[in-house]
Amino acid sequence: MTEPKKILIVQPNWVGDAVMATPALRALRQQYPHAHIAYLMRRYVKPLYTGMPWADQLITYRTGRTKKKAGKGLFDLGRRLRSAKFDLAVLFPNSFQAALVCKMANIPRIVGYERDGRGFLLSDKLLPQKEKGKFVPSPLIKYYMGLAQYLGSTQRDLQMQLFVTEPEKRVAAEVLDRCGVGAATERPASGGKPPLILLNPGAQFGAAKCWLPEYFATLADRFIDELGATVLISAAPRERAIVDAILHSMKHVPVDLLAKGSTLGAMKEIVRRCDLMVTNDTGPRHIAAAFDVPVVTIFGPTHPEWTEIYFPRERKVAVKVFCGPCQKKTCPLDHRCMIRVTPAMVYDAAAGLLPQRFDVAPSTAV
């Protein structure tokens, strides 16, 4: 077929999925080095893509949750995209809406997986793997790469990759300075100093994905007592109650990034500076891996195969239970898949990822 001159890539709606798409985005840029490539995404995802050299244009749209009406809705979005005259659309999300808006934009070639009843809207249909009528768990990172390979890419590199802009670095330094950590702090354990450890106790998927706040508190106190660590806690605004529960259960005072005005763009840089992250199976896990930051991921109801990231510096902690992985947002039983993952199990996994030698500062426990 004719080489496309203008390509629209519709991005995933979730932070973790957006990061897992980066190997495919890199491959598509290499496949089409001279094309104008635009990314279409929800506004809250945009900070992940700032600084990325593979896109010529970032196009955002409002969701139904915003109060503003201008520029919101499929018809407005379709009209905006139609005026851009794209030759090719590549759909990372499986949604019907993603295909429909590209059809409304009169994009002649629309490539995506045949899911969500949208096959008739696609010009090129990829078939997802099924077994006995059910979708086979398949890593999203490979799922997205399949689209690039269908279009001719021979790339096999699955390393996720993100970038930080100079303004994002400045904001991150200001946040860390307000926290009393030090604006220039960066992976101190690599230089023999006590580690900088980030805890991420929330999760977009639902409550079932979250490790217990009191477990996070016990773990954080142990990091401080035994390693002299500086512990940061990161969360979304709607996860304020989780952070408060951790703070209430701790004997030490960690750094509450949510209270210090951190943004997603600044969080990229803060994560990049850390020695280690401990997280539920959620978006920041992927951000850490994209910056080659060691990460301990606590798995409960979700199937690890769906979100396998092939990151050698990750340690997964989980226990087998008869009812899992159930993929449920809310546990109908007693949350045993998470309760049985103990702070000691997570600490041991974390300790194995830190440098073996650094100076342990004395505890400041009251």
Side-chain angles (χ1 to χ4, degrees), residues 285 294-297 299 308-309 311-316 353:
R285 167 203 181 201
V295 58
V296 177
T297 307
F299 279 90
E308 175 59 60
I309 55 176
F311 181 46
R313 303 180 79 188
E314 178 183 43
R315 299 294 179 267
K316 302 182 183 73
L353 288 169

Side-chain angles (χ1 to χ4, degrees), residues 128-168:
Q129 189 177 359
K130 282 187 175 183
E131 189 174 295
K132 296 181 180 179
K134 293 184 178 181
F135 293 112
V136 176
S138 175
L140 277 178
I141 200 167
K142 284 188 173 181
Y143 188 80
Y144 296 144
M145 184 62 88
L147 292 164
Q149 291 169 349
Y150 171 80
L151 289 167
S153 174
T154 58
Q155 292 297 317
R156 297 294 184 270
D157 183 5
L158 298 179
Q159 173 63 49
M160 297 180 294
Q161 193 174 2
L162 292 175
F163 302 85
V164 184
T165 65
E166 289 302 320
E168 289 169 340

